[in-house]
């Protein structure tokens, strides 16, 4: 018989899972919470009006987890679902978990140890994962290093270096007003911006503790709706920013995002057979972004001005290659 050591006492953490149409993935997600070397005090799953058996799947874990399942009658989006669960929490700390991701067994142990040392926001390091296909060779930290503490207040606009699965103090969350449900997609980015603005510093464990699920066969790129939501986040940040360096960083970031929007709009136009419009959009993107545009976006915009249909076809081919998604930053 193999001796099993008793688990460490529970961490003062509530795990928050916003779930919509998650019946197919939620068992694996909650099993990974059960397997933690340091268990959580509470787990709250908010079923955001799923048409499938999401809530029933969650409730099956009630004898293995300190579980509360909340059912929304109408779909309100992930920001509202997470906000409801966080405001219900009675623990000092909150850990976000997406309903299709999986924690490695030492996730909470590593995250809480980092918080005890550094405070602020503790974001996870991540491996991209396509079940049945592959796990990415490079971690999120390899691709997106954390900026120094003094630079994070402006760097957060250039690239969202905070993974959605982050641990933080509930009181810090409430202080900034929580998640805002007008932003669907980048709602977590909006939250991190406002939390970092208060002086909170982002830190990260020194190894990956999350498998970030990518669904093979249904992979998609950022579409115009997502990019428009990012522009809305930046517009809100610009209205609320008081620091001149921060406002400058927001202006530069806005130009980068608008250039990327022009690229994806150009792809759509080329795919619809309108090469003239695709070229015009690509030229506009190059002018908009100028020196603030990411190099890979600038190269693709330039290619679109020459051969828009070929550029769109190459993009569409890549979107169906798992290795391309596993390598993305």
């Amino acid at each position: 018989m193999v001796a099993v050591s008793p688990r460490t006492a529970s961490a003062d953490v509530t795990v928050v899972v916003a779930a919509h149409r998650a019946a197919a993935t939620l068992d694996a997600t909650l099993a990974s919470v059960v397997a933690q070397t340091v268990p959580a005090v509470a787990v709250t799953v908010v079923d955001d009006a799923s048409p499938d058996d999401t809530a029933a799947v969650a409730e099956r874990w009630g004898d293995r987890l300190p579980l509360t399942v909340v059912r929304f009658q109408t779909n309100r989006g992930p920001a509202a679902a997470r906000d409801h669960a966080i405001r219900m929490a009675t623990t000092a700390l909150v850990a976000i978990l997406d309903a299709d991701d999986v924690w490695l067994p030492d996730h909470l142990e590593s995250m809480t140890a980092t918080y005890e040392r550094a405070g602020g926001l503790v974001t996870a390091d991540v491996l991209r994962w396509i079940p049945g296909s592959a796990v990415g060779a490079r971690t999120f930290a390899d691709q997106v290093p954390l900026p120094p503490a003094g630079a994070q207040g402006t760097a957060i606009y250039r690239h969202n270096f905070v993974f959605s699965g982050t641990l933080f103090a509930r009181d810090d969350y409430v202080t900034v007003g929580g998640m805002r449900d007008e932003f669907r997609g980048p709602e977590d980015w909006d939250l991190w911006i406002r939390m970092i603005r208060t002086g909170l510093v982002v830190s990260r464990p020194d190894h990956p503790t999350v498998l970030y699920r990518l669904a093979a066969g249904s992979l998609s790129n950022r579409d115009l709706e997502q990019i428009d939501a990012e522009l809305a986040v930046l517009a809100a940040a610009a209205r609320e920013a008081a620091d001149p360096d921060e406002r400058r960083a927001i202006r530069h970031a806005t130009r980068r995002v608008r250039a990327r929007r022009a690229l994806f709009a150009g792809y759509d136009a080329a795919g619809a057979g309108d090469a003239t419009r695709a070229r015009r959009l690509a030229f506009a993107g190059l002018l908009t972004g100028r020196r603030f545009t990411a190099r890979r976006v600038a190269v693709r915009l330039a290619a679109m001005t020459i051969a828009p249909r070929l550029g769109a076809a190459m993009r569409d081919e890549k979107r169906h290659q798992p290795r391309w998604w596993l390598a993305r930053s």
Side-chain angles (χ1 to χ4, degrees):
M1 180 179 293
V2 177
V4 179
S5 300
R7 292 205 291 180
T8 306
S10 299
D12 190 23
V13 175
T14 296
V15 179
V16 168
V17 182
H20 180 69
R21 298 179 184 268
T25 62
L26 194 54
D27 275 327
T29 297
L30 294 179
S32 76
V33 180
V34 173
Q36 292 301 295
T37 56
V38 174
V41 165
V43 179
T44 302
V45 176
V46 180
D47 173 26
D48 192 15
S50 299
D52 61 9
D53 294 331
T54 291
V57 170
E59 287 165 351
R60 291 204 299 260
W61 291 89
D63 60 346
R64 297 176 178 87
L65 290 169
L67 181 67
T68 300
V69 178
V70 177
R71 297 184 186 225
F72 282 179
Q73 298 306 307
T74 58
N75 181 259
R76 295 166 56 186
R82 290 172 180 154
D83 185 72
H84 183 87
I86 293 168
R87 292 181 187 276
M88 283 177 54
T90 58
T91 56
L93 301 175
V94 171
I96 303 296
L97 173 58
D98 285 350
D100 55 355
D101 290 346
V102 169
W103 283 351
L104 300 181
D106 69 333
H107 174 78
L108 274 183
E109 182 176 0
S110 299
M111 297 286 279
T112 53
T114 303
Y115 183 85
E116 289 170 6
R117 182 178 69 251
L121 297 169
V122 180
T123 192
D125 196 5
V126 177
L127 288 166
R128 288 176 173 83
W129 168 50
I130 300 176
S133 178
V135 174
R138 300 178 67 202
T139 72
F140 185 64
D142 292 333
Q143 297 174 300
V144 187
L146 278 183
Q152 290 182 2
T154 53
I156 188 62
Y157 297 108
R158 197 160 50 250
H159 199 303
N160 183 9
F161 51 82
V162 186
F163 178 62
S164 59
T166 291
L167 178 142
F168 48 82
R170 182 187 178 278
D171 286 349
D172 289 336
Y173 174 89
V174 172
T175 296
V176 301
M179 285 195 172
R180 301 193 282 201
D181 58 11
E182 63 261 40
F183 305 120
R184 287 208 180 194
E187 67 277 346
D188 58 327
W189 187 34
D190 170 67
L191 176 64
W192 313 142
I193 287 168
R194 288 179 287 121
M195 294 182 84
I196 291 169
R197 186 181 286 149
T198 68
L200 296 178
V201 174
V202 181
S203 56
R204 184 158 54 196
D206 62 3
H207 62 285
T209 60
V210 179
L211 295 179
Y212 173 57
R213 182 191 296 260
L214 299 171
S218 61
L219 301 177
S220 63
N221 210 334
R222 291 184 174 184
D223 57 16
L224 294 180
E225 183 179 351
Q226 168 74 12
I227 295 174
D228 286 341
E230 292 177 14
L231 288 169
V233 167
L234 290 170
R239 291 192 299 269
E240 297 162 359
D243 179 74
D245 289 339
E246 188 180 356
R247 290 199 297 267
R248 187 179 307 109
I250 294 168
R251 288 196 299 272
H252 295 173
T254 299
R255 292 174 70 170
R256 287 167 62 96
V257 176
R258 284 178 176 162
R260 198 170 78 245
R261 190 189 193 287
L263 175 63
F264 287 114
Y267 283 146
D268 287 351
D274 193 342
T276 300
R277 175 171 167 75
R279 287 193 179 93
R280 187 165 62 247
L281 287 163
F283 275 122
L286 287 170
L287 291 174
T288 298
R290 283 183 253 181
R291 64 187 179 90
F292 304 114
T293 305
R295 183 176 181 276
R296 66 179 181 273
V297 173
V299 168
R300 292 171 187 171
L301 284 166
M304 287 288 287
T305 65
I306 300 168
R309 290 174 182 166
L310 178 60
M314 291 177 64
R315 190 282 303 259
D316 290 342
E317 181 181 358
K318 284 184 177 181
R319 287 173 63 174
H320 294 92
Q321 296 176 2
R323 66 178 182 274
W324 185 72
W325 287 91
L326 292 172
R328 284 175 61 82
S329 60

